Amino acid sequence: MNQPHGDIAILTDSSCDLPQQYFKKYPIFRLPLIVTCGETAYRDGSDITVDEVYRRQPEEDFKTSLPLREDVDATFDAIARAGYGKVIVLPLSSALSSTSSQLKLIAAERTDLEIEVYDSRRCASAGLGMLAVQAAQYAVSGMEFERLKQVTAQLIEDTTVFFCIDTLEYLRRGGRFGRVTAVAGSLLQIKPILTIGSDGVIGTAAKVRGRNAAFAKLLELVSEARENGPAAPAFNLMICDGNSPEEGRQLEEQLKKQLPGFHQVLHGNICATLAVHLGPHLLGAGVQFLRTTPPPV
């Protein structure tokens, strides 16, 4: 990656679901979360792909874990070698992972970098990715570090995402739903639409029957979030999909048609870590409000 103008780098983790071009264009660095199966540990995105998780998931039990300490140290070293002196760190919500606590402890040991670690709370998948991209765009435009810290905190509050999952089975495996609930949901074709509250905890935004109804409800929820959101000069849209590229494309088209006037759109593919807990055929969408006028994309 060529270093853009500025002294500020953005560090996130592999749950951001960002397409590769964003890492080439902006000063964004990524830590791999760890996916385990039995005694074997894999770095998300390099040692194991989401397609491999989907292929093996019906017969094998996967779990997830924090980034390796060696990877954290190596990434901070790479940021310093690239000439950056300040870092905004945006890991997965603390309600879903202890990565933010881990990174705060390690960041406190660094004397060569000024590091601000956030709890992304309500951001996940493309929501976290959009957070990293927007923070990077402000940084590259010349925004000072103290101001960027304030803006980033506000972006976290102003980002809302919704996820439609195809089955409750993998949430049940992770202990979030009882077996009877998961089986009943499967038999009735109940499709829960999940969201992340301001406290970072996953909750159910809606339950519908059937895939088509879930698709429509997802669009409705994002539209309501846009309508009921804060007054802001601009907003971003986010879409993500897991093993459902055609539906993801349709969702993006419908969302852009339904909510014109957006600043930019990010479409990501779900990572292996999130696939472990949410299963295949996921669709997600969200909106991010920009109270601070954004620079041109």
Side-chain angles (χ1 to χ4, degrees), residues 237-284:
L237 297 174
M238 300 84 72
I239 300 95
C240 65
D241 68 81
N243 203 29
S244 298
E246 180 58 27
E247 283 185 304
R249 184 189 63 78
Q250 292 174 7
L251 180 61
E252 179 178 346
E253 289 180 355
Q254 289 296 317
L255 195 61
K256 289 193 292 188
K257 184 182 300 184
Q258 199 160 293
L259 296 174
F262 50 84
H263 175 59
Q264 61 185 322
V265 177
L266 187 153
H267 190 150
N269 296 317
I270 205 78
C271 66
T273 297
L274 295 179
V276 166
H277 300 289
L278 300 175
H281 307 303
L282 173 142
L283 287 174

Side-chain angles (χ1 to χ4, degrees), residues 95-130:
L96 306 175
S97 168
S98 299
T99 305
S100 60
S101 296
Q102 174 203 33
L103 293 178
K104 284 179 182 179
L105 292 173
I106 297 173
E109 301 173 4
R110 304 288 305 207
T111 58
D112 55 339
L113 295 168
E114 186 177 351
I115 303 170
E116 187 75 12
V117 181
Y118 289 84
D119 181 352
S120 62
R121 293 204 310 278
R122 43 191 309 138
C123 306
S125 183
L128 182 60
M130 190 76 262

Side-chain angles (χ1 to χ4, degrees), residues 162 164 193 212-226 239 250-259 284-285:
F162 301 95
C164 169
I193 298 180
N212 290 339
F215 188 101
K217 190 65 176 179
L218 198 57
L219 288 169
E220 179 185 329
L221 287 168
V222 177
S223 294
E224 288 178 354
R226 168 71 182 97
I239 300 95
Q250 292 174 7
L251 180 61
E252 179 178 346
E253 289 180 355
Q254 289 296 317
L255 195 61
K256 289 193 292 188
K257 184 182 300 184
Q258 199 160 293
L259 296 174

Side-chain angles (χ1 to χ4, degrees), residues 111-242:
T111 58
D112 55 339
L113 295 168
E114 186 177 351
I115 303 170
E116 187 75 12
V117 181
Y118 289 84
D119 181 352
S120 62
R121 293 204 310 278
R122 43 191 309 138
C123 306
S125 183
L128 182 60
M130 190 76 262
L131 178 62
V133 168
Q134 193 59 63
Q137 289 172 348
Y138 283 126
V140 170
S141 74
M143 183 177 284
E144 295 184 355
F145 191 54
E146 290 304 313
R147 176 59 179 154
L148 182 57
K149 290 195 291 186
Q150 297 172 354
V151 170
T152 300
Q154 189 64 64
L155 283 172
I156 291 171
E157 296 297 327
D158 288 338
T159 302
T160 301
V161 290
F162 301 95
F163 301 96
C164 169
I165 60 175
D166 198 49
T167 174
L168 297 168
E169 170 61 19
Y170 300 103
L171 285 173
R172 183 196 67 78
R173 288 189 187 184
R176 293 186 179 273
F177 282 89
R179 181 173 180 81
V180 173
T181 302
V183 171
S186 177
L187 292 174
L188 296 172
Q189 285 295 297
I190 298 298
K191 308 296 181 186
I193 298 180
L194 310 177
T195 191
I196 305 175
S198 59
D199 55 0
V201 176
I202 292 179
T204 302
K207 294 180 182 179
V208 296
R209 183 173 295 179
R211 188 75 173 179
N212 290 339
F215 188 101
K217 190 65 176 179
L218 198 57
L219 288 169
E220 179 185 329
L221 287 168
V222 177
S223 294
E224 288 178 354
R226 168 71 182 97
E227 182 179 346
N228 298 326
F235 67 94
N236 294 326
L237 297 174
M238 300 84 72
I239 300 95
C240 65
D241 68 81

